[in-house]
């Protein structure tokens, strides 16, 4: 069966087309083959760039793409190219799966209907950058392709196994019950992939793994028996570790002072925290870790501070994960920073020898030369009790599996 996995931005549409057996479980991450991938950029502008790669063939065209429905049609046109297409016609696609963010009272994988869309809309205030464009796109696709099932795989799903004592805020009970205010956790597809793949690598289904998804947005999850037992993100994707431009954990009682001193409205202040915080706010230069590290190496004290805060927050939460698990069999680094940033990996793990975490510095430095076909490699020393790994995540294959599972059980 063929599943198209969609990753939406407000003005972008990225996708991958998977072929997979229809009898595999959600964790059957091996029996899924990516046939094609592509993207549509600058949706809504006068001209949009549409790219596709199918095997060794790639194509790029520029056209008017006023909305995401037209973007999907453009991608289907490229996928059915008479000479180089991956499929003969669009009817071969069984469904479109979405890496949806926040469903509030709905946390799982669902075929999209009005009930699902209403639940997402209830969480617009908690995920303003994610939910509204997803809802609009889903409605557009429902109207344009009424016979094509849409599936929402919510990022919060993987974290449903976290014990209540680790996901409840100390707030009035009514708020938690009526407004679904709790630590939901995100990056679920990424952490789920790391859970399944690390179990394969370690040869243990009961492995205790700490998954460090570090990138444009970052979170850490403690995993035991391939299940999430603690995570850093809370009610919204804004919380936990500092992000590239999101504040991370922040005392809400500082807001009245900010509003009073700046004259900003609450919405304006929240927007500032969501777009000008994180590494960007700390460094006063850039939200890109590469720019921050470069500036720090040149003596920029604010950039050095931003880097130090980011590292210390990772280490603080790493300690909490070790306590939750009673130790770790492996710590996995994934995401753009986790996979590529030698300095961050080294500093996060520095000085933890008494905890059984020992880095091989030379291996860490030369990691790119040692990866397997999936880009995976270890960098722990021979006497390290905890294995240290870089494992590139594959959120799309997880969403593809979840989509197929939802279709079979709807």
């Amino acid at each position: 069966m063929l599943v198209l996995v969609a990753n939406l931005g407000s003005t972008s549409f990225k996708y991958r087309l998977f072929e997979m057996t229809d009898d595999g479980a959600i964790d059957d991450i091996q029996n899924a083959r990516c046939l094609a991938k592509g993207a549509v950029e600058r949706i809504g502008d006068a001209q949009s760039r549409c790219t596709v790669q199918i095997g060794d063939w790639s194509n790029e065209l520029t056209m008017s793409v006023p909305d995401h429905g037209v973007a999907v049609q453009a991608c289907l046109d490229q996928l059915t190219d008479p000479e180089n297409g991956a499929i003969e016609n669009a009817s071969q696609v069984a469904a479109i799966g979405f890496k949806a963010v926040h469903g509030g009272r709905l946390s799982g994988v669902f075929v999209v209907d009005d009930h699902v869309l209403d639940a997402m809309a209830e969480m617009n205030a908690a995920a303003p950058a994610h939910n509204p464009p997803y809802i609009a796109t889903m409605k557009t696709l429902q109207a344009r392709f009424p016979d094509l099932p849409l599936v929402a795989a919510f990022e919060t799903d993987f974290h449903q196994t976290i014990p209540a004592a680790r996901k409840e805020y100390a707030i009035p009970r009514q708020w938690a019950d009526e407004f679904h205010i709790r630590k939901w956790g995100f990056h679920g597809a990424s952490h789920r992939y790391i859970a399944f793949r690390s179990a394969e690598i370690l040869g243990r289904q009961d492995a205790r793994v700490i998954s460090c998804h570090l990138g444009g947005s970052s979170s850490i999850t403690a995993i035991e028996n391939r299940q999430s037992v603690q995570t850093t993100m809370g009610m919204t994707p804004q919380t936990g570790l500092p992000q590239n431009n999101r504040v991370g954990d922040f005392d809400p009682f500082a807001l009245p002072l900010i509003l009073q001193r700046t004259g900003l409205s609450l919405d304006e202040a929240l927007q500032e925290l969501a777009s000008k915080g994180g590494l960007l706010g700390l460094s006063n230069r850039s939200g890109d870790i590469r720019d921050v590290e470069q500036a720090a190496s040149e003596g920029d004290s604010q950039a050095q501070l931003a880097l130090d805060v980011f590292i210390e927050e990772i280490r603080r939460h790493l300690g909490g994960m070790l306590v939750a698990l009673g130790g770790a069999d492996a710590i996995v680094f994934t995401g753009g920073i986790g996979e590529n940033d030698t300095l961050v990996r080294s500093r996060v793990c520095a000085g933890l020898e008494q905890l059984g975490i020992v880095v091989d510095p030379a291996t860490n430095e030369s990691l790119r030369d040692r990866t397997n076909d999936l880009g995976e490699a270890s960098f722990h020393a021979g006497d390290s009790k905890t294995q240290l790994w870089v494992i590139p995540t594959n959120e799309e294959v997880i969403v593809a599996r979840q989509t197929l599972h939802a279709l079979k059980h709807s």
Side-chain angles (χ1 to χ4, degrees), residues 23 53 85 168 172 176 258 260 384 399:
D23 57 348
Q53 182 176 342
E168 293 292 336
I258 293 170
Q260 182 184 48
S384 182
V399 174

Side-chain angles (χ1 to χ4, degrees), residues 41 231 272 289 311 345 383:
E41 303 171 359
T231 194
E272 293 267 305
I289 192 74
I311 297 294
R345 292 195 303 266
D383 59 343

Side-chain angles (χ1 to χ4, degrees), residues 189-191 193-194 213 334-335 339 391-396:
S190 176
H191 292 305
Y193 178 85
I194 297 302
H213 178 112
T334 193
E339 295 167 30
I391 301 178
T393 193
N394 191 336
E395 298 168 292
E396 291 84 3

Side-chain angles (χ1 to χ4, degrees), residues 15 18 54 59 85 118 166 264 409:
Y15 66 89
F18 287 94
I54 303 172
N59 183 45
D118 288 345
R166 295 177 183 157
L264 294 173
H409 294 86

